[in-house]
Structures are given as structure tokens and as C-alpha cells.
Amino acid sequence: MSSLPEDDTIVAPATPPGRGGVSIVRLSGPAALDLARRVAEPLPAPRRAALRALRTPDGPIDRGLVLVFPGPDSFTGEDVVEFQLHGSPVVTTLLVRALVALGAREAGPGEFTRRAFLNGRLDLAQAEAVADLIASASAEAARAALRSLEGEFSARVTALVEDLTRLRVRLEAGLDFPEEGVDDLADPELDGLLAGLLQDLDAVRRAADRGRVLRDGLTLVIAGPPNAGKSSLLNRLAGYEAAIVTELPGTTRDLVREDILVDGMPVRVVDTAGLRKAGDRVEEEGIRRAREAMARADLVLLVGAGDEPPLAPGDFALPAATPVLRVRNKTDLLGLPPATGRGPDGLEEVRLSALTGAGLELLRDRLKAFAGHGAGEGGSYAARRRHLEALDRAAGAVARALELLRAGNTAELAAEELRVAQEALGEITGAVSTEDLLGRIFSEFCIGK
Ligand SMILES: Nc1nc2c(ncn2[C@@H]2O[C@H](COP(=O)(O)OP(=O)(O)OP(=O)(O)O)[C@@H](O)[C@H]2O)c(=O)[nH]1
Ligand SMILES: [Mg+2]
């Protein structure tokens, strides 16, 4: 864990800069009570708010509420004092400066939460959830962050670690005492237990993936031939005229990005230039950007006019792993009702009309289903890419362990794979962490949190 000294006393405004009803300054560390006493004598009893005149040797600053949270039962685990001032940036700065002059240090981003982690008040996934809750862009994302903050995600990861530990013990017992007949190869349950563990890992992975989309939003790229109605579809989804629509093929030349909410789910929609043999240099560059955007998409909407043969992902040299939903637009011209289903090639498709809006609800439902939005089962967690990567590494290691065991006499290697899996999961909660990882995580926080 961290080797950084955390023995100084830090101070920062906890409320955003600017004018407001109240602004809060937070002070944490071994000297917090001493320093606070020098601006707000006498300090109130723990966890009791009291109105005090706040003053420095240079004169009075404000009258405000003072709250004392002695460690270790405070947010950071250290002695913490909070000052509630009148919401003026000037007054707030004066108090922070006064406390710095007395010996406190201005806190960097996330330093309070970092201390909470280092003092065991929160694990790493919970600390990240603090930032995610603050940054959440929708009610559903906030709920997911709260579930993580309350430790639901950590508890599931910890349960997986415990299962792994039990399996390791079982495997390694077979290694240490082969003569006692604890023969791992003859352990018929081990196979089933490992397979069960893989399933559990997968379930947590799916819940975490939904959380990742809630947090980062779904990146949806609208692509297809010119004049198919791509920009019209973007405008329909956005609910306003985000992109220019004309009857001329080749209208859109650059990427048009819009951040929208689909029933509360954040979606970044990227409209692209129609894919065809370019007419000029500008269009050529637009098409190159379109392809680049497609390669990075969480989901590609392949839009074609409904009266034309269905487009195939192969027509556009999409990476095989890119999920694709085909949209057959302009159903109004064919007099067909909107519908969802599968095309002759088995690809999922939605028939709609971007012009009339018919079928847009079906598309929204498909998008929500794709992101697992509103999916009841167990909800989602405010997960990050690093959590998903760790879960993937753990699942990969368990799968290899299973293969090794099935292949024969290689219990030692299998046990090693389980150790790798355990370590990967430990990175999520911070049981295994490095200074570098902590630096990256907490630098994304706001100051004062
Ligand atoms: N009848 C009908 N016309 C549509 C529909 N959607 C789009 N259009 C028309 O098709 C033409 C092209 O629409 P755009 O949205 O600009 O098409 P695009 O795919 O963005 O075209 P490029 O940017 O040139 O690649 C416009 O005249 C639209 O009004 C639809 O559902 N039905
Ligand atoms: Mg367009």
C-alpha cells in the first residue's frame, strides 16, 4: 500500500467555487482540532453544530457553524473539522488561507477520500464510487454509484475472492499431501466448483459492464451509405436539429457528436459521413473519420433505406467484435409498419421512419436493452474499465486453471492461475494496490473530496 506520509493536516473548500447560500471548508489531520481552535474558540462538542465567530490574528472573517468529527469515526478516519460559512468565495478563501498560515496544507484532488481509503474507512471500489456518485449524469447512474459506495460491488468481489481462496486451499492441499490421498485429479467436485466460479465471475462482469455504460455512457455510431437518413435519425434521437439534413447525398462530411439521454441513459451519438467512394478530399477525410469512429463504437447503427437490400456489416469492413444493429429506414415510403426482428442473415434489425418518427420507441428500447439499462437482475454497479479488466483477467486465469485440471496432472499450474485470479480481484477493492494506481484514481477527483 501507500508509503506516502499522510501525517500533515489538509484543508480545502468542499463546496464548488462561486456564490451560494453556504460554503463549507473542511480540515483533516492530526492538527485539525488545534488549528480549528485558533480560528473558532471554543470548539463545540463532537458532532454538535455551534455558531462561532471565525477570526484570525488579522481580524474577523465570518460567523459560521463549526462541526467537529474526531477520528477515527470521521470520513477520513482522522480528526476532521467542518466550517459552514456564508457562501462567498472571498470569505471561503480567507478561511482557507488563514488555516494554511497556521500550518495546514491545501489539499489536492481526492485527498480526503484517499485518506479515507488509506485509513480503511472505504475500499478502493467504494472510494471510486464517491467520485462516480458526484459525477453521475442520470438517476440510474447515481443509484449504481450508491450501490457501489454502500459496498455491494465490493461484497460480491470479496465473495469471489473467498471462493477462490477455498479452491486454492483445496488444490494446494492436494499438492502438499499427495500421499494422504487428497488427489486433486480425483476430486470430482473441483471441476464443478471452478465452472461455478466462472459463472459467478461472468454475472459480476455483466453487472459491472452495465455500470460502466451508465457511467461513461454508450457510444453509438450511426453509419451507412449517403442519403440513408443517418442525420435525420440523429435529430430524431436528440429531439432537435443537431445535424444538417438535405436530399443531397454527401451532406454530412465531418463527425457530428451529440450527448443525449435515452430515458435517462447517457448516450453519445456520433453521426458520420455517408460511406461511398469520396467525391473530394474533404469527403474522403470525413469517411476516414467515420470508419475510425465505427471502430471505437460500443454499438454501430447500420442505417440503410428500407427499400434497398439490407446492409451487411461485411460491406463496411467493420471489426468482427463490433456489435451492430441494422436500421431499415424510410418505412413510410413502403407503407410498412415499424417492427423489430432479424433479417434474412440473422442480424438484428429495426424498421422505422426517421422522417415520421414511427418506430423510434422500438429503437430506444433496443438501445436500452443493449446497455442493460433498467435490467432488474441485481442492478448494476458504478464500475470502471479497470474493474472490467481485472474481472476479465480473473476469469481468464480461472478458465485456464479449469483447462489445466481437465488436461491432466498439472494442479500446481492450476493453483498458480488461481493465485493470479485472486490478485486481479484484489486490485478492484484495493487489497492489492500500487502508488501509481492510487495516484491515477484520486487525481480524477475534485478538490475538497
Ligand atoms: N421518406 C423518408 N425520407 C427520409 C427518411 N429519413 C430521411 N429522409 C430523407 O432522406 C434525405 C437524406 O436524409 P439525411 O438524414 O440527410 O441522410 P444522411 O444519411 O445523413 O445523408 P448523408 O449525410 O449525405 O450521408 C433527406 O431528404 C431526408 O428528409 C424517412 O424515414 N423517410
Ligand atoms: Mg448526414
Side-chain angles (χ1 to χ4, degrees), residues 87-288:
S88 142
V90 175
V91 171
T92 307
T93 308
L94 280 176
L95 181 62
V96 170
R97 275 204 207 135
L99 289 164
V100 169
L102 291 169
R105 172 171 65 75
E106 271 196 71
E111 247 190 292
F112 291 91
T113 314
R114 182 189 176 106
R115 289 185 174 197
F117 165 67
L118 292 174
N119 291 324
R121 304 288 296 166
L122 297 168
D123 68 32
L124 205 47
Q126 288 175 303
E128 291 171 313
V130 170
D132 292 341
L133 184 57
I134 292 171
S136 52
S138 68
E140 191 131 358
R143 272 194 296 276
L146 190 59
R147 272 194 290 271
S148 290
L149 180 57
E150 285 176 344
E152 258 186 61
F153 180 49
S154 304
R156 286 191 73 177
V157 172
T158 306
L160 289 170
V161 171
E162 281 165 8
D163 288 349
L164 265 170
T165 311
R166 269 195 296 279
L167 287 170
R168 274 183 71 187
V169 167
R170 206 158 161 159
L171 251 179
E172 286 171 13
L175 292 176
D176 291 344
F177 311 105
E179 68 281 1
E180 291 181 16
V182 192
D183 181 356
D184 47 274
L185 297 176
D187 190 342
E189 281 176 32
L190 208 49
D191 197 285
L193 288 173
L194 278 174
L197 182 62
L198 262 184
Q199 274 175 9
D200 292 346
L201 269 168
D202 188 53
V204 176
R205 169 76 162 83
R206 269 183 285 124
D209 204 22
R210 287 196 293 276
R212 205 267 305 161
V213 169
L214 282 176
R215 181 186 127 84
D216 298 343
L218 180 76
T219 303
L220 181 71
V221 173
I222 306 182
N227 238 10
K230 300 182 295 300
S231 301
S232 306
L233 190 57
L234 165 67
N235 292 348
R236 269 285 167 199
L237 284 170
Y240 50 85
E241 304 297 307
I244 301 172
V245 166
T246 74
E247 68 291 348
L248 304 170
T251 300
T252 307
R253 309 191 117 201
D254 207 344
L255 302 179
V256 181
R257 299 188 184 87
E258 290 298 317
D259 291 317
I260 65 168
L261 289 177
V262 173
D263 295 345
M265 175 176 78
V267 179
R268 157 153 287 200
V269 192
V270 185
D271 179 25
T272 61
L275 301 168
R276 65 171 175 183
K277 205 168 155 33
D280 59 45
R281 292 257 314 280
V282 179
E283 189 173 11
E284 191 180 321
E285 174 61 16
I287 291 173
R288 193 191 64 74

Side-chain angles (χ1 to χ4, degrees), residues 282-307:
V282 179
E283 189 173 11
E284 191 180 321
E285 174 61 16
I287 291 173
R288 193 191 64 74
R289 290 181 185 198
R291 292 193 184 284
E292 218 173 70
M294 287 164 85
R296 280 200 305 265
D298 289 319
L299 177 66
V300 172
L301 286 189
L302 218 46
V303 182
D307 53 351

